[in-house]
Amino acid sequence: MSNIDQSRIRNFCIVAHIDHGKSTLADRIIEQTGLLTSREMQEQVLDNMDLERERGITIKAQTVRTVYQAKDGNEYIFNLIDTPGHVDFNYEVSRALAACDGAILVVDAAQGIEAQTLANVYLALDHDLDVFPVINKIDLPSARPDWVKNEIEDVIGIEAQDAPLISAKNGVGIDEVLEAIVHKIPAPGGSRDNPLQALVFDSLYDSYKGVIVFCRVKEGVVAKGTKIKMMATGAVADVVEVGYFGAGQFIPCEELSAGMVGYITASIKNVKDTAVGDTITNAENPCKTPLPGYKKVLSMVYCGVYPADSAKYPDLRDALEKLQLNDASLFYEPETSIALGFGFRCGFLGLLHLEIIQERLEREYNLDLVTTAPGVIYKVYKTNGEMIELTNPSNLPDPSEIDYMEEPIVSAEIMVTTEFIGSIMELCQERRGRYLGMDYVEGTRALLKYELPLNEIIYDFFDALKSRSRGYASFDYDIKGYEQAPLVKLDILINKEEVDALSFIVHKESAYERGRKMCEKLKDEIPRHLFEIPIQAAVGGKVIARETVKAMRKDVLAKCYGGDITRKKKLLEKQKEGKKRMRQIGNVEIPQKAFMSVLKLDSGK
Amino acid sequence: MKRLGIYVHIPFCVRKCVYCDFLSFPADEPAKRAYMAALQEEIKAVAGDYGAYEVQTIFFGGGTPSSVATELLGDCLLTIQRHFHVADDAECTLELNPGTASLEGLQVLKKAGFNRLSIGLQSADNKELKLLGRIHTYEDFLSTYAWARRAGFSNINVDLMSALPGQSLETWQKTLQSVVELAPEHISAYSLIVEEGTPLFDHISQYPPLPDEDTDRLMYHETKRLLAENGYLHYEISNYAQKGFESRHNQIYWQRGCEHIRDYLGLGLGASSTVGNYRYRNTDDISGYLKNGKTPDKLRREEEHLSKQELMEEFLILGLRRMEGISSAEFEHTFGVSLYDIYEEPLCKWQAAGCMDKRDGFWFLTEKGIDVSNMVLADFMKI
């Protein structure tokens, strides 16, 4: 298929709120375009990381090319570009959208429009994509397709009366969707005669092929041997192979020309050289300007990551190195903690990204980790005019040297049914939110707009949101900028010793509440010792909350005879094993999980 | 001659107590007879391996051994005496529960060669007894005890339990007082452990509250005080005896050095054995046991050969249960290495914490150390 008619290509993505059926619809499209038999289909073909499958979300954008025999008798090439489904990955989403010419909007027939539906559809419209809606889950007893159609027209303002009514799960209405793709999504523009201009929308590292760059060719041609240049990073390389995406495999081809979506491998060793959003051009015949929209990815959330067993430090380093090969947005640098020893300060796009990396380190690399409370980047303005970007609370300068501090603020949109508006507003208030306004979406739902400090939402905001709205609220945010705030460092003292790994930055007003909760939580996590252990929270040396772990009074086996020895020995071994996994702070042994449990201070009511 | 202790397990009882996690269950007469026959087979079959041993102690435990007909118990002891070299002065103990033995029965047992009784009283408070699911009253115990004395038993242990649901320091003191007045040669006083899988564990909320830790320790220290006052020597965490009446059999389990008897052979269902560094336990499947009495090899489960490391650990964690503690000289003599070379760190740590101390070449747990002995002993385990 070397000579592809550009007018028979459709590059599109599917946008939806989480759980509205994006991945299931993708599966059906792949299935019914016939490149795969049902037998070959694994559930949810696109999500091939275990973690993704478990969480039901797409972490890394994936792409598949299929061939569709349309009713007009022609064969069409479909490039379905999957997009990550979480706000942490908004930039990646925007680049994937920029690689498309149109989008299918999936809306749940029972739930209607949700916060992410809006966020994603606006993102798609911003990228000038032609969007057509499909209404999914029409098999549900609670489905209200007509109501949802009206909602789409009223709220988003796109035509929805002839939206296909489908059940992706049961394969109902898929034919209609396939035809709609042909007719409603435009063929790509561009010309193969122009200088090469291709958008990088993802990349991954393969130990055989090196870095594999996913791209959408906007103009020109790229083929084996082309000398390419990354316009933002400046990296230059010779193309080794180009190809397109089969389901779960790379299929080499002769060339990629304007309008096509595919991959390039070149002599590139580091994913950092292939930043998402960068423009690939021909080094010998470069295009004049790069494609718009490139941004350097910045970590938003930081935390300390330490091996539970300090001997595993080199293993952790190797694992982070390997993960970074595939994930340029992961940042790490070595750091040392008095409490936890050698580890790394890691930067993530958001809390979900953090959790994913942590789980991958634990599962794929078999590491036991201790992570410290996640924090954001604070700007600390010192009295000497210097400004430092603080990612580790332990590095906060002495208060006397601080002029003022700034924290990152996000603009948040929360979609909620009207009955929960009160409790969600209360939550936002507690989290120092600034109310911007509210739009009623239709009779029963509202879109709340708030500005919130990022450090107030990285802990357990999402959980609190769900619990206070019985799961109905949905949430989306964007970084707005930095604002001055009265911030303090909260220290935790265990048996009068400060534990550096437990310190964090908090708003002055929330310090007492946070400190109290930390102490309560730690009290439950720290085992009793021979002596009483005070647990204190302090700000600037002043104790603001205290709990006490009472002394151990009794831990003795009354009986031990011949038949018991093996069992009793196992008991002692278990006790010793538990101790081994503890960290010694002064003369107190603190279990690893104590460091983690304080990350989730439940604020729900 | 090498020295050996024999444990015989009788897995039957009249009714299971609510706290009991031992291998024991009610059974009818034919089942008991069949079991005792298989036990005889096992005794005969294994005896050959112990030609070079002299048996110093025999202990019939359970369950409630006295729930089996006395002549069957006597026959079993006789078989052991016939097939093993049993020392003339061997300690032969039988566990029994009040309400399961008559004066005549006790006379038969005495004649058969049992010279020590261990009577399960647990409490002198009938309400507490009922709550535990015991089948007897305190009055039943008094009769049994009197009959035992009349039958000629001059070495009697009474088992007691503290920290029972609803128990107060006062009721515990009363139990101790009542027993001390009878002047048994030996008293075992255990703090109740609520074991998983027992009715007590499963329905704990339906019982009166358990004494809290502080009360539990008060009870423990009161036991020591009151029994010491009455001439009982505290020689193991939960065991007290008049001078010279320490249980010889049970000490086999705790004294793992070369200067003591440390080999024990367990006979019967689920019984454990440790001979040299070879440890195993018999099957706890009754039908399997009944079939294979003649071929004891087939009964063995969980066979293991203890490493020097494990033997050293056991020397410590079991030896430290004794108040006297462990002899560093015996450790060195047994293992050829110095105790300090290997355990200097935990020894110093716990000495500094006031949980261990040494006297005349013996390391022992202090009063404070006993209260938290698991914490201390865990440090001597190598992982």
Side-chain angles (χ1 to χ4, degrees):
Chain A
M1 219 185 264
S2 57
N3 220 344
I4 292 161
D5 182 347
Q6 206 170 317
S7 67
R8 305 258 166 85
I9 298 176
R10 296 293 180 271
N11 298 320
F12 63 98
C13 59
I14 307 174
V15 295
H17 184 70
I18 189 161
D19 285 343
H20 281 195
K22 186 175 86 166
S23 299
T24 318
L25 176 60
D27 288 352
R28 291 300 101 84
I29 291 174
I30 295 164
E31 220 171 36
Q32 300 211 6
T33 44
L35 276 190
L36 284 174
T37 64
S38 307
R39 196 173 50 83
E40 288 167 333
M41 286 290 295
Q42 263 183 300
E43 263 303 287
Q44 307 211 338
V45 169
L46 289 180
D47 291 345
N48 65 20
M49 288 204 284
D50 283 354
L51 211 59
E52 291 182 350
R53 224 164 280 175
E54 267 169 44
R55 291 178 173 232
I57 52 167
T58 306
I59 296 160
K60 217 160 164 61
Q62 304 215 18
T63 297
V64 66
R65 188 184 97 150
T66 63
V67 178
Y68 173 57
Q69 193 75 44
K71 292 197 175 131
D72 64 9
N74 295 315
E75 271 192 343
Y76 287 84
I77 290 177
F78 284 0
N79 287 304
L80 168 52
I81 298 171
D82 197 15
T83 56
H86 192 273
V87 287
D88 279 7
F89 306 99
N90 261 352
Y91 174 66
E92 283 76 358
V93 176
S94 82
R95 294 306 84 202
L97 292 176
C100 300
D101 302 300
I104 306 173
L105 170 67
V106 181
V107 183
D108 185 304
Q111 292 183 6
I113 290 171
E114 296 283 352
Q116 285 173 3
T117 315
L118 281 181
N120 290 329
V121 83
Y122 288 145
L123 212 51
L125 294 171
D126 283 349
H127 286 87
D128 290 327
L129 301 191
D130 285 9
V131 179
F132 76 87
V134 305
I135 295 168
N136 190 23
K137 306 198 191 181
I138 52 156
D139 55 313
L140 291 181
S142 54
R144 317 173 274 179
D146 290 331
W147 175 83
V148 173
K149 278 181 188 174
N150 290 331
E151 191 185 42
I152 293 170
E153 295 193 335
D154 292 350
V155 178
I156 304 171
I158 58 175
E159 164 66 31
Q161 287 316 311
D162 58 352
L165 302 182
I166 69 165
S167 163
K169 196 176 93 186
N170 300 327
V172 176
I174 307 302
D175 285 346
E176 221 185 308
V177 177
L178 295 173
E179 282 297 313
I181 293 168
V182 170
H183 298 295
K184 296 198 169 174
I185 289 172
S191 160
R192 58 176 293 132
D193 302 325
N194 288 335
L196 175 64
Q197 200 180 30
L199 173 71
V200 178
F201 63 89
D202 200 2
S203 64
L204 67 82
Y205 182 82
D206 180 279
S207 43
Y208 298 106
K209 298 185 177 209
V211 177
I212 301 173
V213 183
F214 293 25
C215 64
R216 155 75 190 271
V217 182
K218 295 279 191 178
E219 302 284 350
V221 183
V222 60
K224 182 177 174 179
T226 308
K227 196 177 193 68
I228 54 168
K229 184 179 177 191
M230 304 293 180
M231 294 184 80
T233 67
V236 175
D238 292 318
V239 173
V240 175
E241 182 181 308
V242 298
Y244 54 86
F245 307 101
Q249 55 188 333
F250 296 103
I251 301 167
C253 64
E254 294 284 308
E255 58 167 41
L256 296 174
S257 61
M260 293 174 76
V261 171
Y263 70 90
I264 297 174
T265 67
S267 41
I268 308 167
K269 286 281 166 286
N270 196 328
V271 278
K272 280 186 169 165
D273 290 332
T274 57
V276 169
D278 201 350
T279 302
I280 302 172
T281 192
N282 189 320
E284 278 142 9
N285 177 25
C287 58
K288 287 202 178 71
T289 51
L291 294 160
Y294 172 75
K295 274 200 288 190
K296 205 167 178 306
V297 178
L298 293 174
S299 302
M300 297 309 301
V301 175
Y302 284 80
C303 76
V305 176
Y306 291 83
D309 174 0
S310 48
K312 291 276 171 69
Y313 175 78
D315 298 6
L316 175 58
R317 191 189 49 217
D318 293 350
L320 283 168
E321 222 165 74
K322 283 189 189 131
L323 283 180
Q324 205 185 40
L325 284 177
N326 258 327
D327 185 350
S329 54
L330 169 66
F331 163 87
Y332 67 93
E333 67 183 13
E335 77 170 9
T336 325
S337 149
I338 300 161
L340 299 175
F342 291 104
F344 296 92
R345 175 103 334 213
C346 297
F348 307 93
L349 297 172
L351 204 57
L352 179 75
H353 188 212
L354 179 158
E355 281 175 22
I356 288 161
I357 296 291
Q358 190 182 322
E359 280 193 50
R360 291 190 65 187
L361 287 168
E362 290 184 337
R363 286 196 203 178
E364 294 168 28
Y365 297 92
N366 216 1
L367 290 162
D368 273 332
L369 300 176
V370 183
T371 53
T372 65
V376 301
I377 308 173
Y378 297 97
K379 291 185 176 170
V380 182
Y381 291 86
K382 293 171 68 176
T383 45
N384 64 5
E386 222 182 292
M387 190 275 279
I388 54 172
E389 295 201 337
L390 186 80
T391 57
N392 182 350
S394 317
N395 299 337
L396 187 73
D398 189 82
S400 65
E401 294 172 27
I402 300 172
D403 185 9
Y404 64 94
M405 287 171 74
E406 285 183 349
E407 63 176 339
I409 303 289
V410 303
S411 313
E413 292 190 337
I414 301 162
M415 176 78 86
V416 64
T417 44
T418 42
E419 53 180 318
F420 298 113
I421 289 176
S423 57
I424 297 303
M425 287 179 79
E426 201 184 329
L427 172 67
C428 292
Q429 223 63 48
E430 286 166 22
R431 300 302 179 96
R432 298 192 282 129
R434 188 185 300 139
Y435 175 72
L436 296 181
M438 176 165 62
D439 296 333
Y440 280 91
V441 173
E442 22 69 35
T444 57
R445 279 184 312 163
L447 187 68
L448 288 166
K449 293 181 180 171
Y450 269 92
E451 280 178 5
L452 285 154
L454 181 62
N455 78 352
E456 294 285 346
I457 58 173
I458 57 171
Y459 287 95
D460 49 2
F461 185 76
F462 198 64
D463 292 342
L465 198 66
K466 288 281 173 193
S467 74
R468 293 196 199 190
S469 65
R470 289 200 216 119
Y472 284 119
S474 54
F475 168 61
D476 199 44
Y477 71 83
D478 262 328
I479 298 295
K480 180 179 162 273
Y482 273 77
E483 275 182 26
Q484 193 176 333
L487 299 164
V488 293
K489 180 160 79 106
L490 183 75
D491 294 316
I492 298 295
L493 290 85
I494 293 176
N495 206 21
K496 315 274 185 196
E497 296 246 9
E498 191 179 310
V499 183
D500 61 354
L502 289 173
S503 294
F504 58 94
I505 305 286
V506 64
H507 190 271
K508 212 170 143 188
E509 309 265 291
S510 338
Y512 167 73
E513 188 62 16
R514 273 280 174 69
R516 192 178 57 78
K517 281 184 183 157
M518 284 280 276
C519 291
E520 277 171 13
K521 198 86 177 219
L522 284 167
K523 184 192 168 192
D524 295 338
E525 293 292 345
I526 295 175
R528 291 187 299 162
H529 284 55
L530 289 177
F531 43 87
E532 204 176 83
I533 303 166
I535 300 168
Q536 297 161 306
V539 170
K542 189 170 159 251
V543 173
I544 56 168
R546 179 192 161 119
E547 290 284 342
T548 306
V549 179
K550 289 216 289 182
M552 170 65 88
R553 296 281 297 117
K554 182 202 171 191
D555 183 19
V556 52
L557 295 170
K559 249 183 188 178
C560 186
Y561 296 110
D564 299 327
I565 294 172
T566 306
R567 197 165 66 115
K568 300 284 155 85
K569 242 168 59 178
K570 287 214 172 90
L571 217 93
L572 293 177
E573 275 167 7
K574 223 174 120 190
Q575 198 159 345
K576 172 85 182 265
E577 187 68 48
K579 261 187 164 173
K580 218 175 120 189
R581 297 178 50 85
M582 292 198 198
R583 298 285 178 161
Q584 183 97 23
I585 309 282
N587 52 356
V588 179
E589 281 161 334
I590 304 177
Q592 315 267 21
K593 70 183 201 324
F595 291 95
M596 323 275 278
S597 63
V598 296
L599 304 187
K600 293 203 169 160
L601 300 173
D602 178 35
S603 64
K605 286 185 177 163
Chain B
M1 244 184 166
K2 291 196 258 186
R3 295 171 300 171
L4 183 73
I6 291 180
Y7 175 81
V8 179
H9 192 67
I10 309 291
F12 305 116
C13 54
V14 178
R15 190 177 77 203
K16 197 123 168 122
C17 301
V18 298
Y19 58 86
C20 173
D21 74 329
F22 289 112
L23 180 56
S24 106
F25 39 85
D28 58 18
E29 275 316 306
K32 290 177 186 172
R33 280 184 185 278
Y35 178 77
M36 294 308 283
L39 188 56
Q40 300 252 5
E41 300 289 355
E42 189 194 358
I43 293 166
K44 290 176 202 163
V46 294
D49 297 341
Y50 294 91
Y53 287 80
E54 185 180 51
V55 176
Q56 302 288 324
T57 68
I58 300 169
F59 193 107
F60 278 53
T64 303
S66 55
S67 68
V68 170
T70 40
E71 70 273 13
L72 293 178
L73 297 169
D75 284 352
C76 186
L77 182 58
L78 190 67
T79 308
I80 294 173
Q81 285 160 340
R82 279 206 189 127
H83 290 84
F84 287 84
H85 308 288
V86 179
D88 292 342
D89 65 345
E91 176 192 271
C92 299
T93 307
L94 179 82
E95 275 188 342
L96 69 90
N97 276 328
T100 59
S102 62
L103 173 60
E104 295 71 31
L106 286 161
Q107 285 163 337
V108 171
L109 292 167
K110 182 73 179 52
K111 214 162 154 196
F114 289 101
N115 53 26
R116 185 174 181 268
L117 292 180
S118 175
I119 310 180
L121 167 60
Q122 318 311 351
S123 168
D125 183 314
N126 284 337
K127 272 199 302 238
E128 288 171 5
L129 289 173
K130 203 167 164 204
L131 217 51
L132 292 178
R134 302 289 298 178
I135 56 159
H136 59 85
T137 61
Y138 178 56
E139 292 68 31
D140 293 333
F141 163 78
L142 287 176
S143 319
T144 303
Y145 188 85
W147 293 334
R149 287 300 193 205
R150 210 183 306 163
F153 284 97
S154 56
N155 186 355
I156 298 179
N157 166 56
V158 177
D159 268 351
L160 298 176
M161 263 201 259
S162 64
L164 303 177
Q167 194 177 44
S168 66
L169 185 60
E170 289 69 38
T171 61
W172 173 238
Q173 278 168 325
K174 243 172 100 182
T175 290
L176 286 171
Q177 204 68 56
S178 317
V179 171
V180 162
E181 276 164 26
L182 297 172
E185 287 69 26
H186 191 284
I187 296 174
S188 298
Y190 305 104
S191 172
L192 171 72
I193 301 174
V194 181
E195 299 278 7
E196 227 170 299
T198 61
L200 180 59
F201 181 93
D202 293 339
H203 306 107
I204 192 77
S205 61
Q206 291 164 27
Y207 287 85
L210 293 165
D212 61 22
E213 273 185 15
D214 287 329
T215 313
D216 176 290
R217 287 297 91 186
L218 269 178
M219 288 176 172
Y220 183 76
H221 294 294
E222 177 58 13
T223 309
K224 279 175 74 167
R225 190 197 62 76
L226 199 142
L227 294 184
E229 202 175 273
N230 286 278
Y232 289 88
L233 198 75
H234 184 203
Y235 73 99
E236 193 262 358
I237 289 179
S238 305
N239 286 284
Y240 304 81
Q242 291 177 14
K243 197 166 166 47
F245 286 96
E246 295 91 342
S247 163
R248 283 167 61 196
H249 182 81
N250 285 338
Q251 301 223 62
I252 296 174
Y253 302 131
W254 304 317
Q255 295 183 309
R256 310 300 300 149
C258 61
E259 288 156 27
H260 296 89
I261 317 172
R262 46 180 179 157
D263 290 330
Y264 56 91
L265 172 65
L267 301 166
L269 192 70
S272 285
S273 304
T274 302
V275 178
N277 69 345
Y278 174 46
R279 173 171 298 159
Y280 63 88
R281 81 189 285 135
N282 279 351
T283 176
D284 49 20
D285 166 39
I286 182 82
S287 57
Y289 182 80
L290 293 179
K291 251 183 275 163
N292 294 313
K294 275 187 186 143
T295 48
D297 289 356
K298 290 187 187 163
L299 298 174
R300 293 178 190 176
R301 304 285 181 274
E302 297 169 35
E303 289 177 275
E304 54 178 333
H305 292 276
L306 300 169
S307 65
K308 185 172 164 185
Q309 171 68 42
E310 290 171 300
L311 291 169
M312 289 194 292
E313 281 170 9
E314 292 189 4
F315 180 99
L316 272 129
I317 63 165
L318 297 166
L320 286 169
R321 294 188 66 83
R322 296 179 67 256
M323 296 306 103
E324 182 187 50
I326 50 163
S327 151
S328 40
E330 188 179 7
F331 183 91
E332 195 163 340
H333 186 184
T334 308
F335 300 110
V337 283
S338 143
L339 179 67
Y340 305 101
D341 284 353
I342 299 180
Y343 295 107
E344 187 182 359
E345 198 193 312
L347 288 172
C348 290
K349 174 182 162 187
W350 291 110
Q351 190 180 25
C355 291
M356 289 187 82
D357 211 345
K358 64 169 187 271
R359 186 195 307 132
D360 305 332
F362 279 78
W363 279 94
F364 58 93
L365 291 172
T366 62
E367 199 161 291
K368 184 176 168 192
I370 291 166
D371 288 345
V372 293
S373 56
N374 290 346
M375 239 172 167
V376 178
L377 298 179
D379 260 357
F380 290 89
M381 307 298 292
K382 188 181 174 182
I383 304 175

